[in-house]
């Protein structure tokens, strides 16, 4: 009889042969997982728009609902870099530490979908151009010109 193995989860498995049960070693395979091998249950979370008391209540409710992951950061560039070259990440570190204390993992997104107003004011060509030749302006999501060199450099800087 042919043995069936699941990739990377068992090191040994008993298999039946014609007359006896023998122990065979399962080849070790690289994991296909990043992080824990579990089912994640969570949602997008935007702590940058809430005060500390609301964040604490959110964490309590997440723990009660057994949330074990949140995705965050993708729209927080203005808070991460309020002025050109001035990065403020203490608020983000505090939130991530609090989430970790509750056993909640974090998927931290790059904030390149929403550059801060100062970036567009200083470098208006970072925004995409519509079919009529009009450049978009600050206020929308994903209205950037992804081929613009300044946008790409600034996105890489804030992403770390």
């Amino acid at each position: 009889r042919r043995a069936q193995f699941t990739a990377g989860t068992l090191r040994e498995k008993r298999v039946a042969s014609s007359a006896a049960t023998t122990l065979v070693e399962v080849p070790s395979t690289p994991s296909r997982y990043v992080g824990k091998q579990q089912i994640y249950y969570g949602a997008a979370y935007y702590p940058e728009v809430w005060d500390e008391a609301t964040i604490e209540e959110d964490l309590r409710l997440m723990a009660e609902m057994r949330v074990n992951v949140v995705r965050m950061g993708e729209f927080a560039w203005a808070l991460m870099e309020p002025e050109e070259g001035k990065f403020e990440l203490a608020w983000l570190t505090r939130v991530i530490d609090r989430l970790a204390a509750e056993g909640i993992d974090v998927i931290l997104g790059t904030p390149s979908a929403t550059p801060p107003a100062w970036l567009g004011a200083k470098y208006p060509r970072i925004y995409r151009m519509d079919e009529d030749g009009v450049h978009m302006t600050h206020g929308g999501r994903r209205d950037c010109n992804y081929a613009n060199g300044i946008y790409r450099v600034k996105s890489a800087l804030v992403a770390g």
Side-chain angles (χ1 to χ4, degrees), residues 16-93:
S17 65
S18 58
T21 300
T22 57
L23 198 59
V24 296
E25 189 172 326
V26 176
S28 178
T29 58
S31 176
R32 297 180 308 224
Y33 297 94
V34 174
K36 301 172 192 152
Q37 291 186 18
Q38 67 181 20
I39 294 177
Y40 281 102
Y41 172 66
Y45 185 51
Y46 305 106
E48 63 270 19
V49 300
W50 304 114
D51 60 33
E52 292 291 326
T54 303
I55 291 170
E56 285 302 315
E57 177 66 4
D58 288 346
L59 291 170
R60 186 189 68 73
L61 292 170
M62 284 187 233
E64 184 179 303
M65 293 184 296
R66 296 187 177 151
V67 165
N68 61 6
V69 67
V70 295
R71 184 196 81 218
M72 57 187 266
E74 66 270 23
F75 302 120
W77 191 341
L79 230 59
M80 292 176 178
E81 189 182 9
E83 299 173 32
E84 188 168 13
K86 181 182 176 189
F87 295 94
E88 295 183 4
L89 304 174
W91 68 272
L92 185 60
T93 301

Side-chain angles (χ1 to χ4, degrees), residues 83-145:
E83 299 173 32
E84 188 168 13
K86 181 182 176 189
F87 295 94
E88 295 183 4
L89 304 174
W91 68 272
L92 185 60
T93 301
R94 273 193 313 276
V95 173
I96 291 171
D97 287 347
R98 284 292 295 117
L99 288 160
E102 295 294 337
I104 300 171
D105 291 339
V106 173
I107 299 169
L108 187 60
T110 61
S112 54
T114 55
W118 63 259
L119 185 62
K122 187 170 181 179
Y123 307 103
R125 297 291 188 217
I126 67 162
Y127 295 110
R128 68 177 180 83
M129 185 185 304
D130 72 10
E131 60 276 356
D132 296 320
V134 177
H135 278 274
M136 301 294 103
T137 59
H138 178 75
R141 290 181 179 177
R142 295 180 176 81
D143 276 340
C144 295
N145 173 1

